[in-house]
Amino acid sequence: MSETASAGWYPDPRDPALEYWWDGTQYTESRQTRAIVPTASPAAAVAPAAYEPRPAGVSSKSRLVATLLGFFLGGIGVHRFYLGNIGLGVALLLLGWLTFGIWPLIDWIVVIAGQAHDGDGLLVSDWQ
């Protein structure tokens, strides 16, 4: 320890559980057991306790949002635009009325059942 360090308790480099008293010029024979405060693990600091990782192959899109959009605006394909299925959304917008609403209804049931896929081909199954 250098001569410029102030007096106080400093950890023993050979045993981290002990501290020695530094009087400003040298270590004395006074020792004490060091209180080691446990620190949080890096994983606990990054992820909250309630965090559950999303399974592989599951979309980040909300099935609830897609279901509500399909119910209120399914006849014009808004729920498919939300899911990233732009081509299917355009097809529903232009041709859905030709089926007298049966195609949008069946597509809405597919979303409710959790069998719809997003634009990346991932299954939209989470309600959040």
Side-chain angles (χ1 to χ4, degrees):
M1 182 125 258
S2 68
E3 302 284 342
T4 59
S6 61
W9 292 101
Y10 290 94
D12 182 3
R14 293 167 289 161
D15 185 3
L18 292 178
E19 290 181 332
Y20 282 94
W21 179 259
W22 174 261
D23 66 4
T25 57
Q26 65 181 0
Y27 282 112
T28 64
E29 292 299 316
S30 299
R31 292 184 199 96
Q32 72 178 10
T33 304
R34 184 175 178 202
I36 299 174
V37 178
T39 60
S41 67
V46 172
Y51 173 75
E52 295 179 20
R54 185 175 311 281
V58 175
S59 175
S60 62
K61 300 288 186 176
S62 171
R63 189 163 127 199
L64 178 63
V65 172
T67 299
L68 292 174
L69 287 173
F71 180 77
F72 291 108
L73 301 169
I76 57 174
V78 172
H79 63 295
R80 286 300 178 169
F81 287 110
Y82 166 73
L83 293 177
N85 304 117
I86 305 302
L88 191 54
V90 170
L92 276 167
L93 177 65
L94 298 176
L95 303 173
W97 63 274
L98 287 175
T99 64
F100 302 104
I102 294 181
W103 181 16
L105 175 66
I106 291 172
D107 196 47
W108 180 62
I109 292 170
V110 168
V111 172
I112 289 175
Q115 298 303 310
H117 291 82
D118 67 1
D120 296 326
L122 301 173
L123 190 64
V124 180
S125 62
D126 283 348
W127 284 104
Q128 286 89 4

